[in-house]
Amino acid sequence: MTRILVVEDEPGIALGLEDDLTMEGYQVEIAADGVTASRRAREGNFDLILLDVMLPGKDGFEVCRELRRGGLRTPILMLTAKTQEAEKVMGLELGADDYVTKPFGTRELRARIRALLRRAAGEPENAPFCFGEVEVDFERGELRRQGRPVDLTPLEFKLLGLFIRSRGRVLSRERLLEGAWGADTFASDRIVDNHIASLRRKIEPDPANPRYLRNLRGLGYRFDG
Ligand code: CA
């Protein structure tokens, strides 16, 4: 049986996660503070750790750093707060494998968990990637939104792939041009912006106020999925 350690101090969220993951067939244990989490993660022989950042005792970053320093290889999925942009990158730098942003949907969380478990088992990483209402299937070259297929041009698909692989990091227009159009392109920054606007219309709940494909003035774009 696949064992998951859920580290979360808010009882409502922890119980919700326990219910949901138990129904999915996982065996779940809850730790409500950083010190217990750190101990149980080492003793408990878990297949995956869901780790909240804001915790009493030791925060999720400290727990993550400590576990990785101690040589623990168990996949860690961090639960980060939407308002704290820096948390995502920081978690990854400290050795977390992935993150989901609160509030998250159960479908998204389940998909991320399955993807991490597959990766840990050495299976290919081409599994569909989910964010919000969107599911991207790289193997089949398809994107679905609320379960319905959405047409993407090959360039849009390439751009989205670049963003997903660099989640949480800023990509300059130059880098995007090189990655999607190729190093010898004559395309301009304006073309990048146009394609991103079009991509936003297909993936953003409110394209005028993008939540996933963020523009950082003077720097480029960042995907916060
Ligand atoms: Ca918390």
Side-chain angles (χ1 to χ4, degrees):
M1 206 168 185
T2 307
R3 288 163 48 73
I4 298 183
L5 178 64
V6 173
V7 185
E8 169 63 78
D9 58 314
E10 287 160 67
I13 300 179
L15 290 176
L17 286 170
E18 184 178 26
D19 279 355
D20 189 57
L21 296 174
T22 307
M23 271 202 310
E24 282 289 290
Y26 301 115
Q27 196 182 333
V28 177
E29 181 176 321
I30 295 176
D33 65 84
V35 179
T36 310
S38 189
R39 181 170 51 79
R40 289 301 299 146
R42 278 175 300 210
E43 297 170 348
N45 194 25
F46 292 95
D47 299 286
L48 186 135
I49 300 167
L50 263 186
L51 181 58
D52 189 31
V53 172
M54 298 293 283
L55 293 168
K58 259 176 218 175
D59 72 16
F61 294 133
E62 263 186 86
V63 173
C64 185
R65 187 192 290 123
E66 199 177 286
L67 292 175
R68 290 300 186 238
R69 277 202 187 140
L72 191 86
R73 308 272 300 269
T74 312
I76 296 178
L77 180 57
M78 305 237 17
L79 306 176
T80 62
K82 189 178 162 189
T83 45
Q84 280 143 310
E85 301 289 350
E87 286 191 356
K88 301 160 186 176
V89 176
M90 177 139 172
L92 297 176
E93 280 170 0
L94 290 177
D97 298 271
D98 200 0
Y99 60 82
V100 279
T101 309
K102 286 178 169 179
F104 46 80
T106 47
R107 238 179 62 161
E108 178 183 5
L109 184 70
R110 286 181 208 158
R112 292 280 167 82
I113 288 175
R114 281 197 300 270
L116 271 190
L117 289 170
R118 263 195 303 261
R119 203 198 292 177
E123 289 170 35
E125 272 188 62
N126 283 346
F129 179 86
C130 296
F131 60 97
E133 301 173 330
V134 176
E135 187 178 339
V136 193
D137 190 333
F138 288 103
E139 198 118 285
R140 300 165 63 133
E142 284 176 0
L143 183 137
R144 282 181 292 276
R145 184 163 173 184
Q146 292 182 313
R148 283 188 291 275
V150 176
D151 273 336
L152 247 59
T153 67
L155 265 171
E156 287 166 352
F157 212 86
K158 263 193 189 171
L159 277 173
L160 187 57
L162 279 174
F163 278 117
I164 289 174
R165 284 194 298 278
S166 318
R167 300 168 60 211
R169 297 188 177 93
V170 182
L171 294 176
S172 65
R173 288 177 178 79
E174 196 181 6
R175 168 84 191 78
L176 290 166
L177 278 169
E178 206 181 294
W181 278 263
D184 322 317
T185 181
F186 291 105
S188 66
D189 287 2
R190 176 73 65 84
I191 304 259
V192 176
D193 294 337
N194 289 342
H195 277 78
I196 285 180
S198 160
L199 192 52
R200 277 174 173 160
R201 285 193 289 275
K202 298 176 181 180
I203 64 167
E204 293 280 356
D206 177 8
N209 297 294
R211 168 175 173 186
Y212 299 113
L213 275 181
R214 312 282 289 269
N215 179 239
L216 286 97
R217 196 174 297 239
L219 294 173
Y221 291 93
R222 187 183 64 209
F223 177 70
D224 287 338

